[in-house]
Short mmCIF file of all heavy atoms in Angstrom, two decimals:
data_model
loop_
_atom_site.label_atom_id
_atom_site.label_comp_id
_atom_site.label_asym_id
_atom_site.label_seq_id
_atom_site.Cartn_x
_atom_site.Cartn_y
_atom_site.Cartn_z
N LEU I 19 2.14 -69.14 5.62
CA LEU I 19 1.20 -68.10 6.00
C LEU I 19 1.21 -67.90 7.52
O LEU I 19 1.63 -68.78 8.28
CB LEU I 19 -0.20 -68.47 5.51
CG LEU I 19 -0.40 -68.51 4.00
CD1 LEU I 19 -1.82 -68.95 3.67
CD2 LEU I 19 -0.11 -67.16 3.37
N PRO I 20 0.74 -66.74 8.02
CA PRO I 20 0.71 -66.51 9.47
C PRO I 20 -0.07 -67.60 10.19
O PRO I 20 -1.12 -68.04 9.73
CB PRO I 20 0.00 -65.16 9.59
CG PRO I 20 0.28 -64.47 8.29
CD PRO I 20 0.29 -65.55 7.25
N GLY I 21 0.47 -68.04 11.29
CA GLY I 21 -0.15 -69.10 12.08
C GLY I 21 0.80 -69.59 13.15
O GLY I 21 1.88 -69.03 13.33
N PRO I 22 0.43 -70.63 13.86
CA PRO I 22 1.27 -71.11 14.97
C PRO I 22 2.63 -71.62 14.53
O PRO I 22 3.55 -71.70 15.34
CB PRO I 22 0.42 -72.23 15.59
CG PRO I 22 -0.49 -72.68 14.51
CD PRO I 22 -0.80 -71.44 13.72
N ASP I 23 2.78 -72.00 13.25
CA ASP I 23 4.06 -72.54 12.79
C ASP I 23 4.99 -71.46 12.23
O ASP I 23 6.12 -71.76 11.86
CB ASP I 23 3.81 -73.58 11.69
CG ASP I 23 3.03 -74.77 12.23
OD1 ASP I 23 3.23 -75.10 13.42
OD2 ASP I 23 2.22 -75.34 11.48
N ARG I 24 4.48 -70.24 12.12
CA ARG I 24 5.31 -69.19 11.51
C ARG I 24 6.25 -68.58 12.53
O ARG I 24 5.91 -68.43 13.70
CB ARG I 24 4.41 -68.10 10.92
CG ARG I 24 5.22 -67.04 10.20
CD ARG I 24 4.34 -66.18 9.34
NE ARG I 24 5.12 -65.12 8.71
CZ ARG I 24 4.63 -64.24 7.86
NH1 ARG I 24 3.35 -64.29 7.54
NH2 ARG I 24 5.37 -63.31 7.34
N MET I 25 7.42 -68.23 12.09
CA MET I 25 8.44 -67.69 12.98
C MET I 25 8.22 -66.18 13.15
O MET I 25 7.90 -65.49 12.19
CB MET I 25 9.83 -67.94 12.39
CG MET I 25 10.93 -67.98 13.42
SD MET I 25 12.41 -68.72 12.72
CE MET I 25 12.81 -67.56 11.44
N TYR I 26 8.38 -65.69 14.39
CA TYR I 26 8.31 -64.27 14.64
C TYR I 26 9.58 -63.83 15.35
O TYR I 26 10.14 -64.59 16.12
CB TYR I 26 7.08 -63.95 15.51
CG TYR I 26 5.79 -64.03 14.76
CD1 TYR I 26 5.05 -65.20 14.71
CD2 TYR I 26 5.33 -62.92 14.05
CE1 TYR I 26 3.86 -65.27 14.00
CE2 TYR I 26 4.14 -62.99 13.34
CZ TYR I 26 3.41 -64.16 13.31
OH TYR I 26 2.25 -64.21 12.60
N PRO I 27 10.05 -62.60 15.09
CA PRO I 27 9.53 -61.56 14.23
C PRO I 27 9.44 -62.00 12.76
O PRO I 27 10.04 -62.99 12.38
CB PRO I 27 10.51 -60.40 14.39
CG PRO I 27 11.45 -60.78 15.46
CD PRO I 27 11.31 -62.22 15.72
N ASP I 28 8.70 -61.22 11.99
CA ASP I 28 8.49 -61.55 10.59
C ASP I 28 9.81 -61.80 9.89
O ASP I 28 10.76 -61.02 10.00
CB ASP I 28 7.75 -60.39 9.92
CG ASP I 28 7.15 -60.81 8.58
OD1 ASP I 28 7.88 -61.44 7.80
OD2 ASP I 28 5.97 -60.51 8.34
N THR I 29 9.87 -62.89 9.18
CA THR I 29 11.13 -63.25 8.51
C THR I 29 11.49 -62.29 7.39
O THR I 29 12.62 -62.31 6.89
CB THR I 29 11.02 -64.68 7.93
OG1 THR I 29 9.82 -64.76 7.14
CG2 THR I 29 10.95 -65.69 9.05
N ASP I 30 10.54 -61.44 6.97
CA ASP I 30 10.85 -60.45 5.94
C ASP I 30 11.49 -59.20 6.52
O ASP I 30 11.96 -58.34 5.78
CB ASP I 30 9.57 -60.03 5.20
CG ASP I 30 9.02 -61.16 4.36
OD1 ASP I 30 9.79 -62.09 4.06
OD2 ASP I 30 7.82 -61.12 4.02
N MET I 31 11.46 -59.07 7.86
CA MET I 31 12.00 -57.87 8.49
C MET I 31 13.48 -58.05 8.76
O MET I 31 13.93 -59.12 9.18
CB MET I 31 11.28 -57.60 9.81
CG MET I 31 9.79 -57.32 9.65
SD MET I 31 9.47 -55.76 8.83
CE MET I 31 10.09 -54.62 10.09
N PRO I 32 14.28 -56.99 8.52
CA PRO I 32 15.71 -57.09 8.84
C PRO I 32 15.92 -57.13 10.34
O PRO I 32 15.08 -56.61 11.11
CB PRO I 32 16.28 -55.81 8.23
CG PRO I 32 15.14 -54.85 8.23
CD PRO I 32 13.93 -55.68 7.97
N PRO I 33 16.95 -57.74 10.83
CA PRO I 33 17.22 -57.79 12.27
C PRO I 33 17.45 -56.38 12.84
O PRO I 33 18.00 -55.51 12.14
CB PRO I 33 18.47 -58.66 12.38
CG PRO I 33 19.12 -58.56 11.03
CD PRO I 33 18.00 -58.43 10.05
N VAL I 34 17.01 -56.17 14.08
CA VAL I 34 17.19 -54.88 14.75
C VAL I 34 18.29 -55.02 15.79
O VAL I 34 18.14 -55.80 16.73
CB VAL I 34 15.89 -54.42 15.42
CG1 VAL I 34 16.09 -53.09 16.14
CG2 VAL I 34 14.77 -54.30 14.40
N PRO I 35 19.38 -54.30 15.64
CA PRO I 35 20.46 -54.42 16.64
C PRO I 35 20.06 -53.80 17.97
O PRO I 35 19.45 -52.72 18.02
CB PRO I 35 21.61 -53.63 15.99
CG PRO I 35 20.94 -52.67 15.07
CD PRO I 35 19.71 -53.36 14.56
N LEU I 36 20.34 -54.50 19.07
CA LEU I 36 20.04 -54.01 20.41
C LEU I 36 21.35 -53.72 21.13
O LEU I 36 22.18 -54.63 21.31
CB LEU I 36 19.24 -55.04 21.21
CG LEU I 36 17.86 -55.41 20.64
CD1 LEU I 36 17.22 -56.49 21.51
CD2 LEU I 36 16.96 -54.20 20.57
N SER I 37 21.54 -52.47 21.54
CA SER I 37 22.77 -52.10 22.25
C SER I 37 22.72 -52.59 23.69
O SER I 37 21.64 -52.82 24.25
CB SER I 37 22.94 -50.58 22.23
OG SER I 37 21.91 -49.95 22.97
N GLU I 38 23.88 -52.75 24.30
CA GLU I 38 23.94 -53.16 25.71
C GLU I 38 23.26 -52.13 26.60
O GLU I 38 22.64 -52.48 27.60
CB GLU I 38 25.40 -53.35 26.12
CG GLU I 38 26.07 -54.56 25.50
CD GLU I 38 25.42 -55.86 25.95
OE1 GLU I 38 24.97 -55.92 27.12
OE2 GLU I 38 25.36 -56.79 25.13
N GLU I 39 23.39 -50.85 26.23
CA GLU I 39 22.77 -49.79 27.02
C GLU I 39 21.25 -49.94 27.04
O GLU I 39 20.61 -49.80 28.08
CB GLU I 39 23.15 -48.43 26.44
CG GLU I 39 22.53 -47.25 27.20
CD GLU I 39 22.85 -45.93 26.53
OE1 GLU I 39 23.54 -45.91 25.49
OE2 GLU I 39 22.37 -44.90 27.05
N ARG I 40 20.67 -50.26 25.87
CA ARG I 40 19.22 -50.43 25.80
C ARG I 40 18.77 -51.63 26.60
O ARG I 40 17.74 -51.61 27.27
CB ARG I 40 18.80 -50.57 24.34
CG ARG I 40 17.30 -50.67 24.15
CD ARG I 40 16.92 -50.71 22.68
NE ARG I 40 15.48 -50.84 22.49
CZ ARG I 40 14.90 -50.95 21.30
NH1 ARG I 40 15.63 -50.92 20.19
NH2 ARG I 40 13.59 -51.06 21.21
N ILE I 41 19.54 -52.69 26.56
CA ILE I 41 19.22 -53.90 27.32
C ILE I 41 19.24 -53.62 28.82
O ILE I 41 18.36 -54.06 29.56
CB ILE I 41 20.17 -55.04 26.95
CG1 ILE I 41 19.96 -55.46 25.49
CG2 ILE I 41 19.98 -56.24 27.89
CD1 ILE I 41 20.96 -56.47 24.99
N GLU I 42 20.25 -52.86 29.26
CA GLU I 42 20.36 -52.54 30.68
C GLU I 42 19.20 -51.64 31.13
O GLU I 42 18.69 -51.79 32.24
CB GLU I 42 21.70 -51.86 30.97
CG GLU I 42 22.91 -52.79 30.86
CD GLU I 42 22.79 -53.99 31.79
OE1 GLU I 42 22.40 -53.79 32.97
OE2 GLU I 42 23.04 -55.11 31.33
N ARG I 43 18.79 -50.70 30.26
CA ARG I 43 17.65 -49.85 30.60
C ARG I 43 16.38 -50.70 30.74
O ARG I 43 15.57 -50.47 31.63
CB ARG I 43 17.43 -48.78 29.51
CG ARG I 43 18.43 -47.65 29.52
CD ARG I 43 17.85 -46.40 28.84
NE ARG I 43 17.26 -46.71 27.54
CZ ARG I 43 17.92 -46.68 26.39
NH1 ARG I 43 19.22 -46.37 26.38
NH2 ARG I 43 17.31 -46.95 25.24
N ALA I 44 16.21 -51.67 29.87
CA ALA I 44 15.04 -52.55 29.95
C ALA I 44 15.06 -53.37 31.23
O ALA I 44 14.02 -53.56 31.88
CB ALA I 44 15.00 -53.47 28.74
N LYS I 45 16.23 -53.85 31.63
CA LYS I 45 16.34 -54.62 32.87
C LYS I 45 15.91 -53.79 34.07
O LYS I 45 15.29 -54.29 35.01
CB LYS I 45 17.78 -55.11 33.07
CG LYS I 45 18.19 -56.24 32.15
CD LYS I 45 19.63 -56.66 32.45
CE LYS I 45 20.06 -57.83 31.55
NZ LYS I 45 21.47 -58.22 31.80
N GLY I 46 16.24 -52.49 34.03
CA GLY I 46 15.89 -51.61 35.15
C GLY I 46 14.41 -51.35 35.29
O GLY I 46 13.94 -50.92 36.34
N ARG I 47 13.64 -51.62 34.23
CA ARG I 47 12.19 -51.40 34.27
C ARG I 47 11.40 -52.68 34.51
O ARG I 47 10.18 -52.65 34.56
CB ARG I 47 11.73 -50.75 32.95
CG ARG I 47 12.25 -49.35 32.74
CD ARG I 47 11.48 -48.64 31.62
NE ARG I 47 11.66 -49.29 30.35
CZ ARG I 47 12.60 -48.97 29.46
NH1 ARG I 47 13.45 -47.98 29.74
NH2 ARG I 47 12.70 -49.60 28.30
N LEU I 48 12.09 -53.79 34.64
CA LEU I 48 11.39 -55.06 34.85
C LEU I 48 10.76 -55.09 36.25
O LEU I 48 11.36 -54.62 37.21
CB LEU I 48 12.36 -56.24 34.71
CG LEU I 48 12.87 -56.55 33.31
CD1 LEU I 48 13.92 -57.66 33.37
CD2 LEU I 48 11.73 -56.96 32.38
N PRO I 49 9.56 -55.65 36.40
CA PRO I 49 8.97 -55.78 37.74
C PRO I 49 9.71 -56.83 38.55
O PRO I 49 10.40 -57.69 37.99
CB PRO I 49 7.53 -56.24 37.43
CG PRO I 49 7.64 -56.93 36.11
CD PRO I 49 8.69 -56.19 35.34
N HIS I 50 9.59 -56.71 39.86
CA HIS I 50 10.25 -57.69 40.73
C HIS I 50 9.58 -59.05 40.59
O HIS I 50 8.37 -59.16 40.42
CB HIS I 50 10.20 -57.23 42.19
CG HIS I 50 11.03 -56.02 42.47
ND1 HIS I 50 12.40 -56.02 42.40
CD2 HIS I 50 10.67 -54.76 42.81
CE1 HIS I 50 12.86 -54.82 42.69
NE2 HIS I 50 11.83 -54.03 42.95
N ALA I 51 10.38 -60.08 40.67
CA ALA I 51 9.86 -61.45 40.63
C ALA I 51 9.11 -61.74 41.93
O ALA I 51 9.35 -61.09 42.95
CB ALA I 51 11.01 -62.43 40.46
N PRO I 52 8.17 -62.71 41.91
CA PRO I 52 7.40 -63.01 43.11
C PRO I 52 8.27 -63.32 44.33
O PRO I 52 7.94 -62.89 45.45
CB PRO I 52 6.57 -64.24 42.69
CG PRO I 52 6.41 -64.07 41.21
CD PRO I 52 7.70 -63.47 40.74
N TRP I 53 9.35 -64.07 44.13
CA TRP I 53 10.19 -64.41 45.29
C TRP I 53 10.92 -63.18 45.83
O TRP I 53 11.19 -63.08 47.03
CB TRP I 53 11.20 -65.50 44.91
CG TRP I 53 12.01 -65.21 43.69
CD1 TRP I 53 13.20 -64.56 43.61
CD2 TRP I 53 11.66 -65.57 42.34
NE1 TRP I 53 13.63 -64.49 42.31
CE2 TRP I 53 12.72 -65.10 41.51
CE3 TRP I 53 10.58 -66.24 41.77
CZ2 TRP I 53 12.71 -65.29 40.13
CZ3 TRP I 53 10.57 -66.42 40.40
CH2 TRP I 53 11.62 -65.95 39.59
N GLU I 54 11.22 -62.20 44.95
CA GLU I 54 11.83 -60.95 45.41
C GLU I 54 10.81 -60.12 46.20
O GLU I 54 11.16 -59.49 47.21
CB GLU I 54 12.35 -60.15 44.22
CG GLU I 54 13.51 -60.82 43.49
CD GLU I 54 13.91 -60.09 42.23
OE1 GLU I 54 13.00 -59.56 41.53
OE2 GLU I 54 15.11 -60.03 41.92
N ARG I 55 9.56 -60.13 45.74
CA ARG I 55 8.51 -59.41 46.46
C ARG I 55 8.30 -60.02 47.85
O ARG I 55 8.14 -59.30 48.84
CB ARG I 55 7.21 -59.46 45.68
CG ARG I 55 7.20 -58.61 44.41
CD ARG I 55 5.86 -58.70 43.72
NE ARG I 55 5.84 -57.91 42.49
CZ ARG I 55 4.82 -57.86 41.66
NH1 ARG I 55 3.71 -58.56 41.92
NH2 ARG I 55 4.87 -57.13 40.57
N ARG I 56 8.27 -61.35 47.92
CA ARG I 56 8.04 -62.00 49.21
C ARG I 56 9.13 -61.61 50.21
O ARG I 56 8.85 -61.32 51.38
CB ARG I 56 8.02 -63.52 49.05
CG ARG I 56 6.74 -64.06 48.44
CD ARG I 56 6.66 -65.56 48.54
NE ARG I 56 5.44 -66.09 47.93
CZ ARG I 56 5.36 -66.50 46.68
NH1 ARG I 56 6.45 -66.46 45.90
NH2 ARG I 56 4.22 -66.95 46.19
N ALA I 57 10.38 -61.59 49.76
CA ALA I 57 11.49 -61.23 50.64
C ALA I 57 11.36 -59.78 51.11
O ALA I 57 11.60 -59.46 52.28
CB ALA I 57 12.82 -61.43 49.91
N TYR I 58 10.93 -58.91 50.20
CA TYR I 58 10.76 -57.49 50.53
C TYR I 58 9.63 -57.30 51.54
O TYR I 58 9.77 -56.57 52.53
CB TYR I 58 10.48 -56.71 49.25
CG TYR I 58 10.13 -55.25 49.45
CD1 TYR I 58 11.07 -54.34 49.93
CD2 TYR I 58 8.84 -54.78 49.16
CE1 TYR I 58 10.75 -53.01 50.11
CE2 TYR I 58 8.51 -53.44 49.34
CZ TYR I 58 9.47 -52.56 49.81
OH TYR I 58 9.15 -51.24 49.99
N TYR I 59 8.52 -57.99 51.33
CA TYR I 59 7.37 -57.86 52.23
C TYR I 59 7.70 -58.45 53.61
O TYR I 59 7.26 -57.91 54.63
CB TYR I 59 6.14 -58.57 51.65
CG TYR I 59 5.69 -58.03 50.32
CD1 TYR I 59 5.03 -58.83 49.39
CD2 TYR I 59 5.93 -56.70 49.97
CE1 TYR I 59 4.61 -58.33 48.17
CE2 TYR I 59 5.53 -56.20 48.74
CZ TYR I 59 4.86 -57.02 47.85
OH TYR I 59 4.46 -56.52 46.63
N LYS I 60 8.44 -59.54 53.62
CA LYS I 60 8.82 -60.14 54.90
C LYS I 60 9.70 -59.19 55.69
O LYS I 60 9.58 -59.07 56.91
CB LYS I 60 9.55 -61.47 54.65
CG LYS I 60 9.83 -62.26 55.92
CD LYS I 60 10.43 -63.62 55.59
CE LYS I 60 10.67 -64.42 56.87
NZ LYS I 60 11.27 -65.74 56.57
N LYS I 61 10.58 -58.48 55.00
CA LYS I 61 11.46 -57.52 55.66
C LYS I 61 10.65 -56.36 56.25
O LYS I 61 11.02 -55.78 57.27
CB LYS I 61 12.47 -56.98 54.65
CG LYS I 61 13.55 -56.09 55.27
CD LYS I 61 14.52 -55.58 54.21
CE LYS I 61 15.26 -56.74 53.58
NZ LYS I 61 16.30 -56.26 52.61
N LEU I 62 9.51 -56.04 55.60
CA LEU I 62 8.65 -54.97 56.12
C LEU I 62 7.82 -55.41 57.32
O LEU I 62 7.16 -54.59 57.95
CB LEU I 62 7.70 -54.49 55.02
CG LEU I 62 8.32 -53.74 53.84
CD1 LEU I 62 7.25 -53.40 52.81
CD2 LEU I 62 9.02 -52.47 54.30
#
Side-chain angles (χ1 to χ4, degrees):
L19 294 178
D23 297 327
R24 184 166 177 178
M25 205 164 63
Y26 286 92
D28 196 313
T29 51
D30 292 340
M31 297 292 293
V34 179
L36 299 177
S37 66
E38 289 296 326
E39 180 184 0
R40 183 176 178 183
I41 294 174
E42 289 303 316
R43 286 203 310 270
K45 287 181 179 178
R47 294 195 296 268
L48 290 175
H50 292 293
W53 52 90
E54 294 174 323
R55 289 181 181 177
R56 284 191 181 93
Y58 174 67
Y59 299 152
K60 188 174 181 180
K61 187 181 297 184
L62 291 177

